[in-house]
Each structure stands twice: as structure tokens, then as C-alpha cells.
């Protein structure tokens, strides 16, 4: 066999190992890409998607949802208190032969080693006031926990909605800044053409260039503000958002037609935060009833099954002990026989007839050894025990009174908190309703102002573009340029004011939704435009 032939199997094994390594590397790469994509946020995000993602990933909200599992198990535990406690135990021990001492007291020598084992199965059932009222208290606490989580979910939804709108406003601010920059560039081009033709002074060209630079700075600032608001939205969602994520939802401005009293009633009937405080009040009142149950008597029942084994390790010890016991019985029997023969009468309770042999037979010795073979599971059962007790608490150092008063205080605090929340919601709904109505009117006014500013800008631009001839005098030209600058400033202000008015309306609507505890938004595309 040549060297080339000898190395060929090794090359084949290497090829197989390399193929396996490539396959594993591809699998690992695909898994890494999948994990990376899963960790990254979506590239197109609606408001509903944002709320759903936040409920799945927001750390503060998830930390509150974790309380539900403990509340559920508290209810199961309260029902389980009506069942007996069951305890099972087992033991094994070894005792070496020798003298047993307790301090200076000696209990004599133990002649052999011992194996011991035992088992115990105990049942204990207790019924008291805490058990009787525990289920109601646990269920009230469960309802309070569920209501608190619902309130946290609504609060998170409101916060995400508000931040989504803030980010959307920042995005519309970028569009406004871009339009302002486009208009400024158009004005700059008009001014430059007039300056080059000698129809306008060079200072107007410099001023238009300054205005262009300011518009560029405003666009940069708007873009940075948009990035910042998206980062804040990412914090609310609990995941990383792509830098170029598209906020796909839009909101229309509409005339609010809700009646204030109707919205107040809705808020007082089903607001999540009010429901949470009402459930907390119910839980506190259940706690009062459970605290007062400490005055009730308690009943306790217990029983158990037990068994044990004791096995000596020395066969000689067992046979000697059994033989000694047999000889002692034989000697006693013989003495009574002699006494009966001496008095010539039969004594009651004394066996008649032969006393047997003074020594154990081989069969009896084997029975003794077989009876010792019990370790570890050939238990000797202990007699059944059953106990019942009733205890009546009489005086416990005023601890029960203190616990009851604390529970009553908690219940009163919960009631005050619930009433305070009702007053707050009534005030919030009334105030938010008025703000929303005002915001709607402001939007319509600003919308008209924007249209007028746009018309004025277009007229000023046309007049400046065709402006007076140089022979007409510089005063007219300068006045036309100032009019263009003023119209451009008015247009920028009108667009910003309209943007603020639109999102002021949406924020006022979000505030009203937060106050009423339900969504009032009709949806639809739009935004600032």
C-alpha cells in the first residue's frame, strides 16, 4: 500500500468533517439572523401595532402582570386550606453496640449492633375563621390584581398613544421644515435672478442666502427632533426600532359631538383606574372580615399511621436471649409443678402437663432468626390514633383588636382613594372636553390662516419676480423684497401654528380618552398635512 493510498481515508474523513462544520456554521448563521430580526422592531409601525408590542415588551408593565400568577395561587391556596395537611416521613438508623452514657449516667452495655427504620403518615385538618373567610379575601385580592393590571394596560396604551402622536408630530415637523426649505430655495433663486439682472440690490441676495441657511438649520433640527421622539417611543415599546421606521397611522381632525355628562357617566362606570381602586376597596373590606374572624373558635382533627422495625445484627445475641428466655420459662414451670405436687392440689392459672424441653429446638432457633429479618421494610404497625380539639381564643394581648383596626383603616383609606379618583375623573373629563372643543375651533382658524398666508406668499413672490424696472426707483424694489420676506415668515409661522393646532387637537383627544377610560378616536388617515 502506498502512502497516497494510506492517507486517502483520512482525507475523506476530513472532507466529511468540513462539510459538517460548514453545515453547522450555516445553521448557526441562520439562527443568529433570525434572532437578530426577531429582536429588531418592524419597519412599518401603526398605532395598534405599537400598543400590542408595548404590552408584550414594556418592562414596567410586564413586572405588574407577573403579580397575576401569585394572586391565582393565593385563591387555590385558600381553597386548599379546607383540605387536610398530609405529611409523610421515613427514617433509618444504626446503633453501635457499647455503653450508652448520658452525662455521668450510664445505661448499661448494649450487646449488639441494631438497624432501625420507621415511617409516619399523618393527617391534620384545621378549621377556623381565617379558613372560612380566606377564600373570599383571596378572590377579592385576585380581582384587585386583575383590575390593577387592566389599569396599567390602559395607562400604557395612553402613554404609547401620546408618544406615538408626539413622534408623528415630529415627523410632520420635518415635512413642514422641508417645505419651508423648498420655498426658501425658490425665493432664493428668484432673488438671485433679479440680483444678477441688476433689478435688485446685492444685499437682498445676501439676505435671501441667510434665510436659506436658517431653513436648512431648521430642517436639521426637525430631523433630530424626529429621531429623538422615535427613541422615546422605542423606550415605551420595550424593543429597538429601526432608525427609518415608518409611522403608518394617521388621524383626522373632526368635530367632537360628545356630551360632557355622557362622558362623565362613562368614566365613572368603567374607567380602568376607578375599577382598580374599587376592587382594592373590596379587597380591603374582605380583609376586615378575615381579621374579625380571629375571634372565632378553631377545630383541629389529626390522625396518623406509623410503623417501625428493629433488627439485631448478631445472631448469637438473638439465640442466647431466646434460649435464656426459654430456660427461665422452663424453670418457672417446673417450680409450679413441684408446688402442685407438694400440696396435692391444682392451682388456678398454672399450666398442667409437661413443661417441655429446657432448650430451643433447631426449628425454633430458625424461627427466631427469621423473625429478626425485618430491616428495612418489614414494619410493625403501630395502633391507629385519632385526636380532636377545639380552642377558643379569649385574650391575646389586644393583638386581634390591633389587626382589626388596621384592616378597618386600610378599608377606609381605599374608600377615600376611590372617591378621590371619582372626583379627579369628573374634573378631568370636564376639563378635557372643554379643551378639545376649543382645540377643534383653533384648528379651523389656523387652517384658514395657513391658506391666507400661502396666497399672500404666492402674490408677493409674483410681484417681486416681475417687480418694477430699475428706473422705477430702489424704494419700490426694497419694499417688494421686504413684503416677500414678511410673507415668507408669515407662511412659516402659519404652518407651524397649524401643525401645533392639529396635534393640540389630537393630544386633547388623547387626554379625553384617558379621562373617560375608552377609545373615542374614529381613525382615518391624515395628520397635519
Amino acid at each position: 500500500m502506498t502512502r497516497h493510498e494510506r492517507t486517502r481515508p483520512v482525507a475523506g474523513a476530513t472532507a466529511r468533517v468540513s462539510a459538517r462544520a460548514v453545515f453547522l456554521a450555516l445553521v448557526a448563521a441562520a439562527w443568529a439572523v433570525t434572532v437578530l430580526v426577531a429582536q429588531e422592531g418592524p419597519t412599518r409601525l401603526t398605532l395598534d401595532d405599537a400598543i400590542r408590542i408595548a404590552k408584550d415588551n414594556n418592562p414596567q408593565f410586564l413586572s405588574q402582570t407577573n403579580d397575576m400568577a401569585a394572586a391565582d395561587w393565593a385563591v387555590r391556596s385558600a381553597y386548599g386550606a379546607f383540605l387536610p395537611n398530609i405529611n409523610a416521613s421515613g427514617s433509618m438508623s444504626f446503633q453501635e453496640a457499647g455503653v450508652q452514657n448520658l452525662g455521668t449516667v450510664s445505661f448499661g452495655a448494649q450487646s449488639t449492633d441494631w438497624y432501625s427504620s420507621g415511617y409516619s403518615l399523618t393527617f391534620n385538618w384545621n378549621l377556623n375563621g381565617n379558613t372560612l373567610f380566606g377564600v373570599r379575601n383571596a378572590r377579592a385580592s385576585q380581582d384587585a390584581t386583575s383590575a390593577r393590571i387592566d389599569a396599567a394596560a390602559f395607562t400604557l396604551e395612553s402613554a404609547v398613544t401620546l408618544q406615538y402622536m408626539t413622534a408623528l408630530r415630529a415627523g410632520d415637523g420635518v415635512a413642514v421644515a422641508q417645505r419651508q426649505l423648498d420655498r426658501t430655495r425658490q425665493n432664493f433663486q428668484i432673488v438671485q435672478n433679479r440680483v444678477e439682472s441688476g433689478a435688485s440690490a446685492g444685499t437682498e441676495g445676501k439676505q435671501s442666502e441667510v434665510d436659506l441657511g436658517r431653513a436648512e438649520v431648521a430642517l436639521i433640527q426637525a430631523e433630530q427632533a424626529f429621531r429623538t421622539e422615535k427613541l422615546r417611543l422605542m423606550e415605551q415599546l420595550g424593543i429597538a426600532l429601526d432608525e427609518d421606521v415608518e409611522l403608518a397611522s394617521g388621524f383626522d381632525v373632526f368635530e367632537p359631538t360628545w356630551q360632557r355628562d355622557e362622558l362623565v357617566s362613562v368614566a365613572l362606570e368603567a374607567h380602568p383606574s376607578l375599577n382598580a381602586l374599587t376592587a382594592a376597596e373590596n379587597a380591603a373590606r374582605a380583609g376586615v372580615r378575615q381579621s374579625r374572624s380571629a375571634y372565632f373558635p378553631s377545630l383541629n382533627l389529626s390522625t396518623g399511621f406509623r410503623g417501625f422495625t428493629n433488627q439485631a445484627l448478631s445472631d448469637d445475641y438473638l439465640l442466647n436471649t431466646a434460649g435464656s428466655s426459654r430456660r427461665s420459662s422452663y424453670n418457672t414451670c417446673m417450680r409450679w409443678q413441684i408446688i402442685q405436687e407438694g400440696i396435692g392440689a391444682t392451682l388456678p392459672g398454672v399450666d398442667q402437663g409437661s413443661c417441655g424441653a429446657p432448650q430451643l429446638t433447631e426449628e425454633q432457633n430458625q424461627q427466631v432468626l427469621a423473625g429478626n429479618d425485618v430491616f428495612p421494610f418489614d414494619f410493625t404497625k403501630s395502633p391507629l390514633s385519632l385526636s380532636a380539639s377545639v380552642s377558643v381564643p379569649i385574650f391575646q394581648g389586644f393583638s386581634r383588636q390591633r389587626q382589626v383596626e388596621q384592616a378597618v383603616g386600610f378599608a377606609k383609606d381605599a374608600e377615600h382613594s376611590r372617591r378621590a379618583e371619582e372626583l379627579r375623573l369628573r374634573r378631568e373629563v370636564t376639563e378635557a372636553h372643554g379643551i378639545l372643543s376649543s382645540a377643534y375651533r383653533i384648528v379651523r382658524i389656523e387652517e384658514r390662516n395657513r391658506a391666507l398666508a400661502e396666497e399672500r406668499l404666492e402674490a408677493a413672490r409674483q410681484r417681486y419676480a416681475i417687480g418694477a424696472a430699475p428706473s422705477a426707483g430702489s424704494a419700490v424694489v426694497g419694499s417688494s423684497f421686504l413684503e416677500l420676506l414678511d410673507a415668507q415668515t408669515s407662511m412659516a409661522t402659519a404652518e407651524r401654528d397649524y401643525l401645533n393646532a392639529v396635534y393640540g387637537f389630537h393630544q386633547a383627544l388623547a387626554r379625553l380618552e384617558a379621562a373617560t377610560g375608552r377609545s373615542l378616536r374614529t381613525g382615518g388617515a391624515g395628520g397635519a398635512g
Side-chain angles (χ1 to χ4, degrees), residues 442-471:
I442 292 173
V443 169
R444 293 312 174 206
I445 294 172
E446 294 296 347
E447 185 177 16
R448 185 177 67 251
N449 292 341
R450 184 181 68 164
L452 294 174
E454 189 172 6
E455 292 176 4
R456 180 191 175 195
L457 176 60
E458 184 62 26
R461 182 180 293 155
Q462 291 177 3
R463 282 195 297 271
Y464 182 80
I466 65 175
S471 59

PDB file of all heavy atoms in Angstrom, residues 442-471:
ATOM      1  N   ILE A 442     -59.727  76.084  17.106  1.00  0.00           N
ATOM      2  CA  ILE A 442     -58.408  76.647  16.784  1.00  0.00           C
ATOM      3  C   ILE A 442     -57.861  76.038  15.501  1.00  0.00           C
ATOM      4  O   ILE A 442     -57.261  76.731  14.663  1.00  0.00           O
ATOM      5  CB  ILE A 442     -57.442  76.430  17.965  1.00  0.00           C
ATOM      6  CG1 ILE A 442     -57.882  77.273  19.163  1.00  0.00           C
ATOM      7  CG2 ILE A 442     -56.012  76.769  17.568  1.00  0.00           C
ATOM      8  CD1 ILE A 442     -57.086  77.001  20.423  1.00  0.00           C
ATOM      9  N   VAL A 443     -58.052  74.719  15.298  1.00  0.00           N
ATOM     10  CA  VAL A 443     -57.571  74.065  14.074  1.00  0.00           C
ATOM     11  C   VAL A 443     -58.201  74.708  12.852  1.00  0.00           C
ATOM     12  O   VAL A 443     -57.515  75.000  11.852  1.00  0.00           O
ATOM     13  CB  VAL A 443     -57.872  72.552  14.122  1.00  0.00           C
ATOM     14  CG1 VAL A 443     -57.634  71.924  12.745  1.00  0.00           C
ATOM     15  CG2 VAL A 443     -57.004  71.861  15.148  1.00  0.00           C
ATOM     16  N   ARG A 444     -59.502  74.952  12.895  1.00  0.00           N
ATOM     17  CA  ARG A 444     -60.161  75.540  11.743  1.00  0.00           C
ATOM     18  C   ARG A 444     -59.670  76.962  11.474  1.00  0.00           C
ATOM     19  O   ARG A 444     -59.488  77.361  10.313  1.00  0.00           O
ATOM     20  CB  ARG A 444     -61.679  75.539  11.968  1.00  0.00           C
ATOM     21  CG  ARG A 444     -62.304  74.152  12.000  1.00  0.00           C
ATOM     22  CD  ARG A 444     -61.825  73.329  10.834  1.00  0.00           C
ATOM     23  NE  ARG A 444     -62.280  71.932  10.887  1.00  0.00           N
ATOM     24  CZ  ARG A 444     -61.650  70.943  10.314  1.00  0.00           C
ATOM     25  NH1 ARG A 444     -60.512  71.172   9.665  1.00  0.00           N
ATOM     26  NH2 ARG A 444     -62.124  69.717  10.381  1.00  0.00           N
ATOM     27  N   ILE A 445     -59.425  77.715  12.518  1.00  0.00           N
ATOM     28  CA  ILE A 445     -58.892  79.070  12.334  1.00  0.00           C
ATOM     29  C   ILE A 445     -57.492  79.027  11.749  1.00  0.00           C
ATOM     30  O   ILE A 445     -57.158  79.754  10.797  1.00  0.00           O
ATOM     31  CB  ILE A 445     -58.906  79.835  13.671  1.00  0.00           C
ATOM     32  CG1 ILE A 445     -60.354  80.064  14.138  1.00  0.00           C
ATOM     33  CG2 ILE A 445     -58.185  81.172  13.541  1.00  0.00           C
ATOM     34  CD1 ILE A 445     -60.462  80.648  15.529  1.00  0.00           C
ATOM     35  N   GLU A 446     -56.642  78.168  12.293  1.00  0.00           N
ATOM     36  CA  GLU A 446     -55.273  78.071  11.794  1.00  0.00           C
ATOM     37  C   GLU A 446     -55.243  77.520  10.376  1.00  0.00           C
ATOM     38  O   GLU A 446     -54.343  77.846   9.591  1.00  0.00           O
ATOM     39  CB  GLU A 446     -54.423  77.207  12.728  1.00  0.00           C
ATOM     40  CG  GLU A 446     -54.198  77.787  14.114  1.00  0.00           C
ATOM     41  CD  GLU A 446     -53.400  79.077  14.077  1.00  0.00           C
ATOM     42  OE1 GLU A 446     -52.810  79.409  13.014  1.00  0.00           O
ATOM     43  OE2 GLU A 446     -53.354  79.769  15.108  1.00  0.00           O
ATOM     44  N   GLU A 447     -56.189  76.671  10.045  1.00  0.00           N
ATOM     45  CA  GLU A 447     -56.262  76.159   8.679  1.00  0.00           C
ATOM     46  C   GLU A 447     -56.564  77.312   7.701  1.00  0.00           C
ATOM     47  O   GLU A 447     -55.962  77.407   6.621  1.00  0.00           O
ATOM     48  CB  GLU A 447     -57.353  75.096   8.594  1.00  0.00           C
ATOM     49  CG  GLU A 447     -57.444  74.409   7.236  1.00  0.00           C
ATOM     50  CD  GLU A 447     -58.491  73.321   7.219  1.00  0.00           C
ATOM     51  OE1 GLU A 447     -59.342  73.287   8.140  1.00  0.00           O
ATOM     52  OE2 GLU A 447     -58.480  72.497   6.284  1.00  0.00           O
ATOM     53  N   ARG A 448     -57.473  78.193   8.092  1.00  0.00           N
ATOM     54  CA  ARG A 448     -57.766  79.349   7.255  1.00  0.00           C
ATOM     55  C   ARG A 448     -56.574  80.294   7.186  1.00  0.00           C
ATOM     56  O   ARG A 448     -56.233  80.817   6.121  1.00  0.00           O
ATOM     57  CB  ARG A 448     -58.990  80.086   7.804  1.00  0.00           C
ATOM     58  CG  ARG A 448     -59.449  81.255   6.917  1.00  0.00           C
ATOM     59  CD  ARG A 448     -60.702  81.920   7.437  1.00  0.00           C
ATOM     60  NE  ARG A 448     -60.477  82.610   8.686  1.00  0.00           N
ATOM     61  CZ  ARG A 448     -60.952  82.213   9.866  1.00  0.00           C
ATOM     62  NH1 ARG A 448     -61.688  81.110   9.928  1.00  0.00           N
ATOM     63  NH2 ARG A 448     -60.715  82.901  10.958  1.00  0.00           N
ATOM     64  N   ASN A 449     -55.904  80.504   8.327  1.00  0.00           N
ATOM     65  CA  ASN A 449     -54.724  81.375   8.336  1.00  0.00           C
ATOM     66  C   ASN A 449     -53.631  80.837   7.423  1.00  0.00           C
ATOM     67  O   ASN A 449     -52.947  81.604   6.726  1.00  0.00           O
ATOM     68  CB  ASN A 449     -54.188  81.519   9.754  1.00  0.00           C
ATOM     69  CG  ASN A 449     -55.130  82.299  10.660  1.00  0.00           C
ATOM     70  OD1 ASN A 449     -56.007  83.028  10.173  1.00  0.00           O
ATOM     71  ND2 ASN A 449     -54.976  82.150  11.966  1.00  0.00           N
ATOM     72  N   ARG A 450     -53.465  79.519   7.424  1.00  0.00           N
ATOM     73  CA  ARG A 450     -52.426  78.935   6.570  1.00  0.00           C
ATOM     74  C   ARG A 450     -52.756  79.156   5.096  1.00  0.00           C
ATOM     75  O   ARG A 450     -51.871  79.477   4.288  1.00  0.00           O
ATOM     76  CB  ARG A 450     -52.270  77.443   6.860  1.00  0.00           C
ATOM     77  CG  ARG A 450     -51.137  76.799   6.084  1.00  0.00           C
ATOM     78  CD  ARG A 450     -51.000  75.324   6.363  1.00  0.00           C
ATOM     79  NE  ARG A 450     -52.146  74.566   5.838  1.00  0.00           N
ATOM     80  CZ  ARG A 450     -52.132  73.238   5.677  1.00  0.00           C
ATOM     81  NH1 ARG A 450     -51.045  72.546   6.003  1.00  0.00           N
ATOM     82  NH2 ARG A 450     -53.205  72.618   5.218  1.00  0.00           N
ATOM     83  N   ALA A 451     -54.016  78.976   4.735  1.00  0.00           N
ATOM     84  CA  ALA A 451     -54.401  79.187   3.337  1.00  0.00           C
ATOM     85  C   ALA A 451     -54.192  80.649   2.924  1.00  0.00           C
ATOM     86  O   ALA A 451     -53.691  80.939   1.820  1.00  0.00           O
ATOM     87  CB  ALA A 451     -55.862  78.782   3.150  1.00  0.00           C
ATOM     88  N   LEU A 452     -54.554  81.582   3.814  1.00  0.00           N
ATOM     89  CA  LEU A 452     -54.344  83.002   3.503  1.00  0.00           C
ATOM     90  C   LEU A 452     -52.869  83.339   3.394  1.00  0.00           C
ATOM     91  O   LEU A 452     -52.452  84.096   2.508  1.00  0.00           O
ATOM     92  CB  LEU A 452     -55.018  83.868   4.576  1.00  0.00           C
ATOM     93  CG  LEU A 452     -56.559  83.798   4.628  1.00  0.00           C
ATOM     94  CD1 LEU A 452     -57.082  84.577   5.819  1.00  0.00           C
ATOM     95  CD2 LEU A 452     -57.165  84.302   3.328  1.00  0.00           C
ATOM     96  N   ALA A 453     -52.041  82.782   4.297  1.00  0.00           N
ATOM     97  CA  ALA A 453     -50.601  83.044   4.253  1.00  0.00           C
ATOM     98  C   ALA A 453     -49.994  82.497   2.971  1.00  0.00           C
ATOM     99  O   ALA A 453     -49.086  83.106   2.380  1.00  0.00           O
ATOM    100  CB  ALA A 453     -49.924  82.437   5.474  1.00  0.00           C
ATOM    101  N   GLU A 454     -50.488  81.338   2.535  1.00  0.00           N
ATOM    102  CA  GLU A 454     -49.972  80.758   1.293  1.00  0.00           C
ATOM    103  C   GLU A 454     -50.353  81.626   0.093  1.00  0.00           C
ATOM    104  O   GLU A 454     -49.529  81.842  -0.813  1.00  0.00           O
ATOM    105  CB  GLU A 454     -50.527  79.348   1.125  1.00  0.00           C
ATOM    106  CG  GLU A 454     -49.898  78.579  -0.022  1.00  0.00           C
ATOM    107  CD  GLU A 454     -50.330  77.131  -0.046  1.00  0.00           C
ATOM    108  OE1 GLU A 454     -51.207  76.761   0.754  1.00  0.00           O
ATOM    109  OE2 GLU A 454     -49.791  76.364  -0.873  1.00  0.00           O
ATOM    110  N   GLU A 455     -51.576  82.151   0.066  1.00  0.00           N
ATOM    111  CA  GLU A 455     -51.981  83.051  -1.018  1.00  0.00           C
ATOM    112  C   GLU A 455     -51.149  84.333  -1.014  1.00  0.00           C
ATOM    113  O   GLU A 455     -50.716  84.821  -2.066  1.00  0.00           O
ATOM    114  CB  GLU A 455     -53.464  83.392  -0.871  1.00  0.00           C
ATOM    115  CG  GLU A 455     -54.398  82.210  -1.114  1.00  0.00           C
ATOM    116  CD  GLU A 455     -55.843  82.577  -0.869  1.00  0.00           C
ATOM    117  OE1 GLU A 455     -56.115  83.765  -0.594  1.00  0.00           O
ATOM    118  OE2 GLU A 455     -56.710  81.674  -0.956  1.00  0.00           O
ATOM    119  N   ARG A 456     -50.924  84.871   0.184  1.00  0.00           N
ATOM    120  CA  ARG A 456     -50.132  86.102   0.272  1.00  0.00           C
ATOM    121  C   ARG A 456     -48.712  85.870  -0.202  1.00  0.00           C
ATOM    122  O   ARG A 456     -48.129  86.699  -0.903  1.00  0.00           O
ATOM    123  CB  ARG A 456     -50.155  86.593   1.717  1.00  0.00           C
ATOM    124  CG  ARG A 456     -49.358  87.885   1.915  1.00  0.00           C
ATOM    125  CD  ARG A 456     -49.183  88.193   3.375  1.00  0.00           C
ATOM    126  NE  ARG A 456     -48.307  89.361   3.532  1.00  0.00           N
ATOM    127  CZ  ARG A 456     -47.737  89.702   4.671  1.00  0.00           C
ATOM    128  NH1 ARG A 456     -47.930  88.972   5.757  1.00  0.00           N
ATOM    129  NH2 ARG A 456     -46.957  90.767   4.743  1.00  0.00           N
ATOM    130  N   LEU A 457     -48.115  84.709   0.186  1.00  0.00           N
ATOM    131  CA  LEU A 457     -46.743  84.419  -0.224  1.00  0.00           C
ATOM    132  C   LEU A 457     -46.662  84.307  -1.744  1.00  0.00           C
ATOM    133  O   LEU A 457     -45.729  84.826  -2.374  1.00  0.00           O
ATOM    134  CB  LEU A 457     -46.257  83.143   0.439  1.00  0.00           C
ATOM    135  CG  LEU A 457     -44.873  82.650   0.029  1.00  0.00           C
ATOM    136  CD1 LEU A 457     -43.797  83.696   0.361  1.00  0.00           C
ATOM    137  CD2 LEU A 457     -44.546  81.320   0.691  1.00  0.00           C
ATOM    138  N   GLU A 458     -47.623  83.655  -2.344  1.00  0.00           N
ATOM    139  CA  GLU A 458     -47.591  83.482  -3.792  1.00  0.00           C
ATOM    140  C   GLU A 458     -47.737  84.838  -4.496  1.00  0.00           C
ATOM    141  O   GLU A 458     -47.044  85.116  -5.495  1.00  0.00           O
ATOM    142  CB  GLU A 458     -48.716  82.539  -4.215  1.00  0.00           C
ATOM    143  CG  GLU A 458     -48.740  82.211  -5.688  1.00  0.00           C
ATOM    144  CD  GLU A 458     -47.479  81.486  -6.148  1.00  0.00           C
ATOM    145  OE1 GLU A 458     -46.829  80.818  -5.311  1.00  0.00           O
ATOM    146  OE2 GLU A 458     -47.131  81.596  -7.356  1.00  0.00           O
ATOM    147  N   ALA A 459     -48.621  85.699  -3.986  1.00  0.00           N
ATOM    148  CA  ALA A 459     -48.784  87.019  -4.588  1.00  0.00           C
ATOM    149  C   ALA A 459     -47.522  87.865  -4.435  1.00  0.00           C
ATOM    150  O   ALA A 459     -47.073  88.532  -5.379  1.00  0.00           O
ATOM    151  CB  ALA A 459     -49.989  87.729  -3.960  1.00  0.00           C
ATOM    152  N   ALA A 460     -46.912  87.828  -3.230  1.00  0.00           N
ATOM    153  CA  ALA A 460     -45.684  88.602  -3.011  1.00  0.00           C
ATOM    154  C   ALA A 460     -44.547  88.088  -3.884  1.00  0.00           C
ATOM    155  O   ALA A 460     -43.729  88.873  -4.400  1.00  0.00           O
ATOM    156  CB  ALA A 460     -45.300  88.535  -1.531  1.00  0.00           C
ATOM    157  N   ARG A 461     -44.496  86.794  -4.099  1.00  0.00           N
ATOM    158  CA  ARG A 461     -43.435  86.218  -4.925  1.00  0.00           C
ATOM    159  C   ARG A 461     -43.608  86.650  -6.382  1.00  0.00           C
ATOM    160  O   ARG A 461     -42.627  86.985  -7.071  1.00  0.00           O
ATOM    161  CB  ARG A 461     -43.490  84.694  -4.805  1.00  0.00           C
ATOM    162  CG  ARG A 461     -42.413  83.963  -5.586  1.00  0.00           C
ATOM    163  CD  ARG A 461     -42.563  82.474  -5.399  1.00  0.00           C
ATOM    164  NE  ARG A 461     -42.287  82.090  -4.028  1.00  0.00           N
ATOM    165  CZ  ARG A 461     -42.779  80.986  -3.444  1.00  0.00           C
ATOM    166  NH1 ARG A 461     -43.614  80.220  -4.108  1.00  0.00           N
ATOM    167  NH2 ARG A 461     -42.456  80.692  -2.196  1.00  0.00           N
ATOM    168  N   GLN A 462     -44.832  86.643  -6.841  1.00  0.00           N
ATOM    169  CA  GLN A 462     -45.073  87.061  -8.228  1.00  0.00           C
ATOM    170  C   GLN A 462     -44.764  88.551  -8.429  1.00  0.00           C
ATOM    171  O   GLN A 462     -44.160  88.938  -9.424  1.00  0.00           O
ATOM    172  CB  GLN A 462     -46.526  86.755  -8.604  1.00  0.00           C
ATOM    173  CG  GLN A 462     -46.838  85.261  -8.708  1.00  0.00           C
ATOM    174  CD  GLN A 462     -48.291  84.981  -9.013  1.00  0.00           C
ATOM    175  OE1 GLN A 462     -49.075  85.927  -9.201  1.00  0.00           O
ATOM    176  NE2 GLN A 462     -48.651  83.695  -9.087  1.00  0.00           N
ATOM    177  N   ARG A 463     -45.188  89.361  -7.470  1.00  0.00           N
ATOM    178  CA  ARG A 463     -44.917  90.799  -7.599  1.00  0.00           C
ATOM    179  C   ARG A 463     -43.418  91.074  -7.585  1.00  0.00           C
ATOM    180  O   ARG A 463     -42.909  91.907  -8.326  1.00  0.00           O
ATOM    181  CB  ARG A 463     -45.604  91.566  -6.464  1.00  0.00           C
ATOM    182  CG  ARG A 463     -47.106  91.754  -6.682  1.00  0.00           C
ATOM    183  CD  ARG A 463     -47.656  92.812  -5.733  1.00  0.00           C
ATOM    184  NE  ARG A 463     -47.522  92.419  -4.336  1.00  0.00           N
ATOM    185  CZ  ARG A 463     -48.430  91.731  -3.660  1.00  0.00           C
ATOM    186  NH1 ARG A 463     -49.544  91.338  -4.277  1.00  0.00           N
ATOM    187  NH2 ARG A 463     -48.244  91.425  -2.405  1.00  0.00           N
ATOM    188  N   TYR A 464     -42.697  90.330  -6.716  1.00  0.00           N
ATOM    189  CA  TYR A 464     -41.263  90.565  -6.655  1.00  0.00           C
ATOM    190  C   TYR A 464     -40.575  90.068  -7.927  1.00  0.00           C
ATOM    191  O   TYR A 464     -39.625  90.669  -8.418  1.00  0.00           O
ATOM    192  CB  TYR A 464     -40.677  89.872  -5.427  1.00  0.00           C
ATOM    193  CG  TYR A 464     -39.189  90.113  -5.267  1.00  0.00           C
ATOM    194  CD1 TYR A 464     -38.709  91.299  -4.710  1.00  0.00           C
ATOM    195  CD2 TYR A 464     -38.264  89.158  -5.689  1.00  0.00           C
ATOM    196  CE1 TYR A 464     -37.353  91.526  -4.576  1.00  0.00           C
ATOM    197  CE2 TYR A 464     -36.904  89.379  -5.569  1.00  0.00           C
ATOM    198  CZ  TYR A 464     -36.461  90.558  -4.999  1.00  0.00           C
ATOM    199  OH  TYR A 464     -35.120  90.797  -4.872  1.00  0.00           O
ATOM    200  N   ALA A 465     -41.082  88.931  -8.471  1.00  0.00           N
ATOM    201  CA  ALA A 465     -40.442  88.357  -9.655  1.00  0.00           C
ATOM    202  C   ALA A 465     -40.577  89.268 -10.874  1.00  0.00           C
ATOM    203  O   ALA A 465     -39.645  89.383 -11.680  1.00  0.00           O
ATOM    204  CB  ALA A 465     -41.038  86.975  -9.952  1.00  0.00           C
ATOM    205  N   ILE A 466     -41.732  89.899 -10.993  1.00  0.00           N
ATOM    206  CA  ILE A 466     -41.938  90.774 -12.158  1.00  0.00           C
ATOM    207  C   ILE A 466     -41.663  92.230 -11.822  1.00  0.00           C
ATOM    208  O   ILE A 466     -41.732  93.081 -12.723  1.00  0.00           O
ATOM    209  CB  ILE A 466     -43.382  90.653 -12.666  1.00  0.00           C
ATOM    210  CG1 ILE A 466     -44.364  91.166 -11.622  1.00  0.00           C
ATOM    211  CG2 ILE A 466     -43.706  89.230 -13.071  1.00  0.00           C
ATOM    212  CD1 ILE A 466     -45.805  91.181 -12.094  1.00  0.00           C
ATOM    213  N   GLY A 467     -41.341  92.492 -10.549  1.00  0.00           N
ATOM    214  CA  GLY A 467     -41.183  93.786  -9.890  1.00  0.00           C
ATOM    215  C   GLY A 467     -40.987  94.980 -10.818  1.00  0.00           C
ATOM    216  O   GLY A 467     -41.075  94.905 -12.014  1.00  0.00           O
ATOM    217  N   ALA A 468     -40.796  96.133 -10.274  1.00  0.00           N
ATOM    218  CA  ALA A 468     -40.626  97.399 -11.025  1.00  0.00           C
ATOM    219  C   ALA A 468     -39.287  97.410 -11.727  1.00  0.00           C
ATOM    220  O   ALA A 468     -38.325  96.771 -11.303  1.00  0.00           O
ATOM    221  CB  ALA A 468     -40.757  98.583 -10.077  1.00  0.00           C
ATOM    222  N   ALA A 469     -39.214  98.174 -12.827  1.00  0.00           N
ATOM    223  CA  ALA A 469     -37.946  98.318 -13.550  1.00  0.00           C
ATOM    224  C   ALA A 469     -36.974  99.127 -12.705  1.00  0.00           C
ATOM    225  O   ALA A 469     -37.372  99.885 -11.827  1.00  0.00           O
ATOM    226  CB  ALA A 469     -38.184  99.016 -14.877  1.00  0.00           C
ATOM    227  N   PRO A 470     -35.655  99.050 -12.997  1.00  0.00           N
ATOM    228  CA  PRO A 470     -34.682  99.786 -12.205  1.00  0.00           C
ATOM    229  C   PRO A 470     -34.944 101.278 -12.209  1.00  0.00           C
ATOM    230  O   PRO A 470     -34.673 101.953 -11.241  1.00  0.00           O
ATOM    231  CB  PRO A 470     -33.362  99.447 -12.885  1.00  0.00           C
ATOM    232  CG  PRO A 470     -33.615  98.123 -13.530  1.00  0.00           C
ATOM    233  CD  PRO A 470     -35.009  98.132 -13.956  1.00  0.00           C
ATOM    234  N   SER A 471     -35.510 101.792 -13.298  1.00  0.00           N
ATOM    235  CA  SER A 471     -35.758 103.226 -13.340  1.00  0.00           C
ATOM    236  C   SER A 471     -36.894 103.636 -12.418  1.00  0.00           C
ATOM    237  O   SER A 471     -37.106 104.807 -12.173  1.00  0.00           O
ATOM    238  CB  SER A 471     -36.083 103.658 -14.780  1.00  0.00           C
ATOM    239  OG  SER A 471     -37.238 102.949 -15.242  1.00  0.00           O
TER     240      SER A 471
END
